[in-house]
Structures are given as C-alpha cells and as structure tokens.
Amino acid sequence: MKDVAAHAGVSQSTVSFVLNGMVGMRIAAETRQKVLNAVAELGYRSRGAGRPPNALSKRVIGFMLDEISTSPFAAISIDGAQEEARKHDALLEIVMTGGDPDYEAAALRKWAADGVNGVIYGSILTRKVAPPDMLTRHRAVLLNCYDGTDRYASVVPAERRGGEAATKALLAQGHRKIAFISGEPWMDASRQRKEGFKRAMQKAGLEIDLALVREGNFLPSGGRSATLDLMKSGTRPDAIFCANDLMAVGCYEALKELGERPGETIAVMGYDDQEIAQHLSPALSTVLLPHREMGQWASLVLLDETSRPPVQARMECPVVLRASHG
Amino acid sequence: MKDVAAHAGVSQSTVSFVLNGMVGMRIAAETRQKVLNAVAELGYRSRGAGRPPNALSKRVIGFMLDEISTSPFAAISIDGAQEEARKHDALLEIVMTGGDPDYEAAALRKWAADGVNGVIYGSILTRKVAPPDMLTRHRAVLLNCYDGTDRYASVVPAERRGGEAATKALLAQGHRKIAFISGEPWMDASRQRKEGFKRAMQKAGLEIDLALVREGNFLPSGGRSATLDLMKSGTRPDAIFCANDLMAVGCYEALKELGERPGETIAVMGYDDQEIAQHLSPALSTVLLPHREMGQWASLVLLDETSRPPVQARMECPVVLRASHG
DNA sequence: TTTTATTGCTAATAATAATTAGCAAACTTT
DNA sequence: AAAGTTTGCTAATTATTATTAGCAATAAAA
C-alpha cells in the first residue's frame, strides 16, 4: 500500500480511506481516481493484514462440498444454505474439493485465517465420512453425511421413512403387487429406500415377491430394462416403485413402448423429485428429498450462536402425489 | 489471541506458533493441546489482521454466480473452473448471489480485503450484464455473459454455430422437412439456436416451412405438446430439432405415444447434451454446450499473470451424434 | 476585514498476528 | 564433572493496514 501511496502522490492513510470508502471521510474525486489508477497499475492486492476494522464484519460461513455436477441435489443444498445465510446477512463461501484432503486442508486453513463463523462439510452422496483434522478448528456441521461420533452436528434424509411413505401411498390406492426397482446396493440411499419399501409391505401384511424386485442403476436405462424385464415375467405388477426419478423416466419409456398407460393401466412411483418429474406425462408421483431444508438447517445451526450440543438429525422426505400412482 | 494465551498460560507467540504449525518450531504436545482447548473454549476467531506471513499464500480465485439450481450448467462451469484452479494449486471460492447487488458488493469487498487474484463473474443464462462497480477493483472475467464493452474478458457459447451444425447433421442424413421447436424467444440461447437452424437451412437452399416451426418452453411438456401439434399438422416432418434436450424428452414421449420410433421412423435432434440425453432410448443426438471448457478458460485467463488485453470469446458447441438423428 | 465553517488531506498512533533473537532447563557426550 | 546439544518456550520487534487527532487552505457568513 505504501507503493500505491507513493505512486499516487498521497499518504498511506489516504489510500486506505479511498479503498475502504470510510463513512465521514471526504476525499476529492480527483484524488480518489489517482489512487484507484495506481492500485490498478501496480496490481495492488491486500495482504489481509494490518489493523482490523472497527466495524463488525459480515458473518461468513464456509461450505465445503466434494462434488456438484453429478447430481442436482448439491446445488439445491447450496440454495438452502444460501437463503438462510442471506436472511441473516451472512456470506456463504463455497469450495468444491473433489474429496482431496490437501485441498480441504488448504481451504480450512484459509477459513481459519479469515475467521469464518463456521463450516458446513457436505457430501453429494449420503454416506459416512472421515472429516479432516483441520475441521476441529471450526464450528462445523455435516450435511448429507455423518461420521458416527457426536463431535459435529449432522443431517441426512430419512430415506427409510421416505421409502415407507411412498409404498404406503401405493397401497392406499389398492395396489398389492408392487414391484421395486432399486439403485446400486452399495449406496446408503438405495439400501434404505428398499428397506422402507419392505417395512411398509410387511406392515401391510404382504409378502415381498422376489419376482417383483429388480436391481437398477439409478439411470433411465436401468429403469427401462428392469421394467421391460418385469413386464415379461410371469407375475404382472399393478404398480412399479422406482428408487429414483431417472429410473422412472426409463420405466415410462418402456411402458409406453409396450402400449401401457402409466398412471392408468399401471401405477408408477418415483423417488427424489427431480425437476423433470413434474414435467413427465403423466406427472410423476414421487418422494421429495429435503436437500433445500437440510442446507437451511445447516446454516441455521452455525448462525445460532448459543451453545448447544451437536444434534444428529434425520429429515423427513414427504411424498409428492401427482398423476402416476393411481 | 491474547486472551487465548492468558487462558492457556502461554505467550501470544506460542499461540501463533500452535495455530500456524510453523516449520521448525517445536511445541510440546501438551502445550499444543492446552492452546487448542483454549481456542475452542473461547471461540477464538482470527480477525484477519496482524503481520502477513512470509510464505506466499495459495492463490485464490473468486467465482461469483447468480444461480445454480435451476439448470445443470452452472455446476459444470464450476467443475471446469475448479479443475484448472486445482492444477495450478489455487483455491476457488464460490459465492451465489441471487443477482442481489448488495450481496455482490459485500462479497467483492471481502475478496478485495482477502487479496484474491481475480474474480469470475458468471451468469446462469447467456445474457448481457451490468457488472457491479466493485468489480473494477479486481482482475475479472465474465463467464457465459458479456457487458458490451472491452473492459473485461468474456466467454459465451457460439450458439448460432451450434444450431447450424446440428441442422447440418440432420441434412447430412438426408432430412429435408426439418421441424424446429424453439425455447422462449426472450432468451439469447433460444434466439441464436433458431438463427443457426435458419442459416443452415438457407445455406442448403431450403425454405423454412413456418408450419414446421413451433415455440416451446425449454421443458419436456413444451416438447411433447409441440410434437403432438406437429404430428397432426398437414406437413409431416422427417426430423424434429428441439432447441434443448428436455424438450427432446417430451418429444420422445409424444412420438412413442403415437407409435413412432425415434431415430427410425422420424429423426430427433436435441441441444445442450444434458446428462439424461445419453440415457434415453434411443440415445439422443445433441449439441454439447461448452460450459466446462468455458469455466476452464475463465480460470486460465485469471491464472495467467501476463498482461493481455481482454478477449471476447465465443466457444464452439460440438455436435454429439448418437442414435436419434438418422 | 474578521470570524466561522468546510474541505481534504497527513503524521502519528493503534490493532492484530507473524517472526526473530535469545535464554533457561534438560539431556547427551566427552 | 564439564562441555556440548536439544528442547521448548518468551520478549521484543516487525509487517501491514485502519483510525485518530490535527492542521492548512479555502469558502462562506458576519
């Protein structure tokens, strides 16, 4: 900053006043422009040092996420966290780490030096994580993940209860031969949705017919081929519960190729309420994942500065009844 | 930090050494734990002031975006920018602003104080923007937007050339009665894709048949109803060019409902290569939007510290030929 | 003309945290 | 036992930037 001052022919104090637009400090427009020109010409960048401002700076929450582009839900979580941050006049700074521990540590170090108010540590897939050591330097919340300790607060969707509710909605329509197309079995979400399906069927006193259970891949192709397989098996289902909406897209395709009318000749239930669900024909009945609400929750926990013990939360996944489950 | 020192019974110097893990400074494990406990108990947060470290800190790029959850492309841009940042050992910090000028200004102020190396100012829709005044404090790049000046470098997709290439691919298959389902006409992307379609048709010496042009809404429902309308009109198309992939999903639905076989009895071309495109049946031929490459480009411009005049770039949108355009 | 108010800056000081220079105690080697 | 080395800290100083206290020049009012 001293070099900027020399270059502009003013004092270091004046440079500081220009750059920070301090209330009550009058600076001539010409002087101001001279300083800004010098800043640009010299490529001045603050070292983030010096005397801290008197004014309380805006609160800042760091949000660390492993991935963002492979599913729409991370973006929705970000929206939720951002909404609450904005309501509380806080900044949300997001870093995508790709799960790289060195990158995570670097970001956490920067945030410690910046004095952020807390960190949301998020995962795109619902899973158990091993949080980085540096996270202990921050108040932190685990979002869509958990570490199996009570060290940090955490929030995940209540997938079993979601699967149960979706199956109940089909049962309530009188369906009894309900087929289930699962996702990949190594994923928390896939396993738990299936467990919810089973629980609802058992509570209704119905046996699970293994001929009506298929393993899919969470993609339209998996839903389509599983549906084609189901429809040519010996037992015709009266409803198909797909463990995610993308597979329901493929299920719709297969049914239409076979001359069926989803929602009329056979019911379809999806899961995760992707944007496309409401735009399918007929509009898909599904289960809403609470990613927005979980993001909001995470922000609120960090913005609430009273001292509370960490909570491990499971958030409800409400059923969204449209036109395909009848 | 003085309070932490007092609480832990050590000097301020020791607290600094503990928190920064300085190379060559030996601290006993017990002392270290006492300091970390005091930090946690007192909720110490750095004011971001004091003496700047000798070591050059990691470079940091700020990435400011208006929205993220309403389309998958922003996330892909982030991935691109992130990849290049990581390759160059830089941190990428992302802030979602919702287009709020005050929020933008607050983030830019924080970044000026942090001394970030540059700012990517991005927009989820391709459009003309009015960058915030505070952006002049930073080296900056406009991503998927432009401001009509040469003040900042900018990059947008070459939508016209993309629309042209897609139409050419259909023409190359012998299609001559090509229908076009546009998006909403106020959007840059929608207008330019249609202009590319027209240009290719004119270059091929073909008249545009207005009976084969429909306005859609960029959603599956728009594609479905436009397709049903087209198929019952007097002129049967041999190909349908949908101005985005979501409308192509709806187009497929309508065609299958009518007993058609996309890619066999009638060709379909999408645009924007959403993830779902490759998983449809048949796999959708489409045009790839260069969001990842644009993100990479933006990062590279900021990480390149040689002085160059700002460039206004238009990035190619390559055709992705799968199974639906034949 | 004299007095008062306004404008626009600077020198000096202040606020944090990083680093240097040094020291005392404990341990190891001769 | 004496000399040399290692360990683990502290006091003092340093590096950057923000703010206070004050002043000189100019403009406006009496």
Side-chain angles (χ1 to χ4, degrees):
Chain A
M1 197 181 263
K2 284 206 190 94
D3 292 344
V4 170
H7 199 266
V10 298
S11 70
Q12 177 262 317
S13 307
T14 300
V15 175
S16 189
F17 292 128
V18 169
L19 293 187
N20 292 294
M22 187 173 174
V23 177
M25 189 69 209
R26 299 168 304 264
I27 306 278
E30 181 187 330
T31 305
R32 191 164 191 285
Q33 197 57 54
K34 277 200 297 191
V35 171
L36 292 177
N37 289 344
V39 164
E41 281 168 39
L42 297 186
Y44 165 74
R45 286 177 25 236
S46 166
R47 296 287 300 278
R51 175 177 165 162
N54 289 339
L56 277 187
S57 53
K58 220 169 187 39
R59 287 188 290 178
V60 182
I61 298 182
F63 188 147
M64 175 170 285
L65 203 50
D66 50 357
E67 275 228 42
I68 193 171
S69 62
T70 56
S71 125
F73 301 117
I76 296 170
S77 292
I78 287 172
D79 269 358
Q82 180 66 78
E83 283 161 20
E84 288 306 320
R86 192 178 286 123
K87 280 187 199 162
H88 291 80
D89 204 35
L91 276 177
L92 184 75
E93 280 190 347
I94 302 150
V95 167
M96 313 302 313
T97 62
D100 177 347
D102 290 339
Y103 209 78
E104 288 178 346
L108 291 169
R109 258 192 312 267
K110 179 175 186 291
W111 282 339
D114 286 357
V116 298
N117 297 68
V119 173
I120 301 172
Y121 185 81
S123 169
I124 199 167
L125 296 179
T126 311
R127 61 186 176 108
K128 184 170 178 178
V129 295
D133 291 342
M134 273 289 305
L135 199 61
T136 61
R137 284 289 305 283
H138 298 274
R139 297 179 62 226
V141 183
L142 304 181
L143 176 62
N144 204 32
C145 59
Y146 51 96
D147 72 342
T149 75
D150 275 339
R151 172 64 217 256
Y152 307 107
S154 73
V155 61
V156 296
E159 297 273 16
R160 286 185 191 86
R161 296 206 289 278
E164 193 171 343
T167 308
K168 275 191 184 163
L170 290 173
L171 292 169
Q173 292 289 323
H175 305 300
R176 292 293 177 273
K177 292 188 189 308
I178 303 174
F180 184 83
I181 308 178
S182 68
E184 284 129 317
W186 58 268
M187 289 169 74
D188 278 15
S190 182
R191 271 192 1 261
Q192 288 167 13
R193 290 170 201 178
K194 188 172 177 183
E195 282 164 22
F197 163 69
K198 284 182 177 176
R199 194 188 291 166
M201 293 294 275
Q202 280 154 10
K203 282 188 183 174
L206 298 170
E207 298 266 338
I208 311 289
D209 183 351
L210 290 183
L212 292 181
V213 178
R214 293 291 187 279
E215 189 176 303
N217 61 2
F218 274 148
L219 296 171
S221 54
R224 179 169 172 273
S225 58
T227 302
L228 289 175
D229 205 48
L230 280 169
M231 297 304 283
K232 74 183 175 194
S233 74
T235 313
R236 178 190 164 103
D238 51 14
I240 306 183
F241 178 10
C242 304
N244 80 338
D245 285 357
L246 286 185
M247 286 199 293
V249 169
C251 176
Y252 268 37
E253 289 194 345
L255 292 177
K256 287 181 178 181
E257 285 166 23
L258 296 173
E260 300 283 344
R261 298 193 300 288
E264 290 177 42
T265 62
I266 186 165
V268 181
M269 176 69 71
Y271 196 109
D272 72 16
D273 198 27
Q274 288 202 28
E275 179 66 25
I276 197 170
Q278 63 192 304
H279 301 299
L280 293 176
S281 186
L284 183 66
S285 301
T286 181
V287 176
L288 174 63
L289 284 176
H291 284 281
R292 181 178 301 276
E293 291 76 22
M294 292 198 297
Q296 291 169 346
W297 187 90
S299 276
L300 284 173
V301 168
L302 294 178
L303 291 166
D304 172 13
E305 298 187 350
T306 61
S307 187
R308 294 174 200 276
V311 169
Q312 315 304 320
R314 284 183 191 279
M315 227 169 236
E316 294 313 315
C317 307
V319 174
V320 181
L321 299 179
R322 293 195 180 102
S324 69
H325 66 292
Chain B
M1 197 180 264
K2 285 207 191 93
D3 292 343
V4 170
H7 199 263
V10 299
S11 70
Q12 178 261 317
S13 306
T14 301
V15 173
S16 187
F17 292 128
V18 169
L19 293 187
N20 291 293
M22 187 173 172
V23 177
M25 191 67 208
R26 300 167 303 264
I27 306 279
E30 182 187 331
T31 305
R32 192 166 189 284
Q33 196 57 54
K34 276 198 298 190
V35 170
L36 292 177
N37 290 343
V39 164
E41 282 168 38
L42 297 186
Y44 166 75
R45 285 178 25 238
S46 167
R47 296 288 298 278
R51 176 177 163 163
N54 288 342
L56 279 188
S57 54
K58 217 169 188 50
R59 287 189 287 179
V60 182
I61 298 181
F63 188 149
M64 176 171 283
L65 203 51
D66 50 357
E67 275 227 41
I68 192 168
S69 62
T70 55
S71 124
F73 301 118
I76 297 169
S77 293
I78 288 172
D79 270 358
Q82 179 66 77
E83 283 161 19
E84 289 304 322
R86 193 178 285 124
K87 281 186 197 163
H88 291 80
D89 202 38
L91 277 175
L92 184 75
E93 282 191 346
I94 301 151
V95 168
M96 314 303 311
T97 62
D100 176 347
D102 292 338
Y103 209 79
E104 288 178 343
L108 290 169
R109 261 193 309 269
K110 179 175 185 292
W111 282 339
D114 287 356
V116 298
N117 295 69
V119 173
I120 299 172
Y121 185 82
S123 168
I124 199 165
L125 296 180
T126 309
R127 63 188 174 107
K128 183 169 176 174
V129 293
D133 289 344
M134 272 290 305
L135 197 61
T136 62
R137 284 286 308 281
H138 297 274
R139 296 180 62 223
V141 183
L142 305 181
L143 175 62
N144 205 32
C145 58
Y146 52 96
D147 72 342
T149 75
D150 275 338
R151 172 64 219 253
Y152 307 108
S154 73
V155 61
V156 296
E159 297 272 14
R160 288 185 190 86
R161 296 204 290 276
E164 194 172 340
T167 308
K168 276 192 186 162
L170 290 173
L171 292 169
Q173 292 288 323
H175 305 300
R176 293 294 178 270
K177 292 192 191 302
I178 304 175
F180 184 81
I181 308 180
S182 70
E184 283 130 319
W186 58 267
M187 289 168 71
D188 277 17
S190 181
R191 272 191 1 259
Q192 288 167 10
R193 289 171 201 177
K194 187 171 176 183
E195 283 163 19
F197 163 70
K198 284 183 180 177
R199 193 190 290 169
M201 293 295 274
Q202 280 156 10
K203 283 190 184 173
L206 298 169
E207 297 265 336
I208 311 289
D209 183 351
L210 291 185
L212 292 181
V213 178
R214 293 290 186 281
E215 189 174 301
N217 61 3
F218 274 149
L219 295 171
S221 54
R224 179 171 173 270
S225 59
T227 301
L228 290 174
D229 205 50
L230 280 168
M231 297 306 285
K232 74 182 173 194
S233 74
T235 314
R236 179 190 161 103
D238 51 15
I240 306 182
F241 178 7
C242 304
N244 82 337
D245 285 357
L246 287 185
M247 287 199 293
V249 170
C251 176
Y252 268 36
E253 289 194 347
L255 291 177
K256 287 181 178 180
E257 286 166 23
L258 294 173
E260 300 283 344
R261 297 191 302 285
E264 292 175 42
T265 62
I266 185 164
V268 180
M269 177 69 71
Y271 196 110
D272 72 18
D273 197 27
Q274 288 202 29
E275 178 66 24
I276 197 169
Q278 62 191 303
H279 301 300
L280 293 176
S281 189
L284 182 66
S285 301
T286 183
V287 176
L288 174 64
L289 284 175
H291 284 282
R292 183 179 301 275
E293 291 76 21
M294 292 199 294
Q296 290 168 347
W297 186 89
S299 276
L300 284 174
V301 168
L302 293 179
L303 291 166
D304 172 12
E305 297 186 352
T306 61
S307 187
R308 295 176 199 272
V311 168
Q312 316 303 321
R314 283 183 191 279
M315 227 169 236
E316 294 312 315
C317 305
V319 173
V320 181
L321 299 178
R322 293 197 182 102
S324 68
H325 66 293

